[in-house]
Amino acid sequence: MPGYKSISLDIAQRIVNGELPVNSKISGRTLLASKYHVSPETIRKSIGLLKDENIVSVSQGKEITVLSKRLAEDYIIKNQYLKSVYSLRQELEILLKEKQEMDYKFERNTERNHSAFRSA
């Protein structure tokens, strides 16, 4: 999962936990960037995701205000599902690669056995 999505989920979780109550102001992008050790652009994307879900609002002065705890909960639930789907996809890709390696080994062994059988 991209970093900005993880950050948006962390902020949403902090809203749900009550660390960031409804109507409270969240630190500016620069402070958040230093807290999460990312660029202000990454924070802008994270906050943009939360803004798109009406969890926070962003004023002209770049002030970020918490709007909804319930929507933050919904956002976390929705993205945990997406994270699960992403994890399953990664697992399937690993299994497919392992299967391809096993198929290759099986074919090599079969060819060796055929060659040995023909030689005998």
Side-chain angles (χ1 to χ4, degrees):
M1 180 175 292
Y4 65 93
K5 284 190 176 186
S6 295
I7 293 168
S8 68
L9 282 167
D10 184 65
I11 293 170
Q13 188 63 59
R14 291 176 61 206
I15 293 168
V16 170
N17 292 345
E19 292 175 53
L20 300 169
V22 172
N23 296 320
S24 68
K25 308 294 183 216
I26 299 177
S27 304
R29 280 192 263 177
T30 305
L31 287 172
L32 288 171
S34 66
K35 176 185 174 11
Y36 287 102
H37 307 289
V38 295
S39 71
E41 178 63 17
T42 300
I43 295 299
R44 186 190 67 73
K45 287 181 179 180
S46 299
I47 296 301
L49 292 174
L50 298 174
K51 182 182 175 200
D52 290 347
E53 298 290 329
N54 295 313
I55 297 167
V56 300
S57 68
V58 181
S59 69
Q60 288 287 53
K62 311 258 191 286
E63 188 174 74
I64 305 161
T65 306
V66 176
L67 297 178
S68 175
K69 181 178 178 176
R70 183 186 59 77
L71 292 175
E73 289 171 345
D74 293 347
Y75 181 73
I76 290 168
I77 291 166
K78 177 175 76 171
N79 282 283
Q80 284 176 337
Y81 169 74
L82 292 175
K83 187 176 177 182
S84 297
V85 170
Y86 179 75
S87 297
L88 287 172
R89 180 177 175 206
Q90 285 184 317
E91 288 177 33
L92 284 172
E93 287 174 358
I94 290 167
L95 289 171
L96 180 59
K97 186 176 179 182
E98 289 174 359
K99 181 192 177 300
Q100 290 169 339
E101 289 171 1
M102 290 174 76
D103 287 347
Y104 176 74
K105 288 177 184 176
F106 179 77
E107 286 176 22
R108 281 192 7 206
N109 285 335
T110 303
E111 287 172 6
R112 282 187 200 148
N113 289 339
H114 271 8
S115 294
F117 182 71
R118 279 184 256 161
S119 300

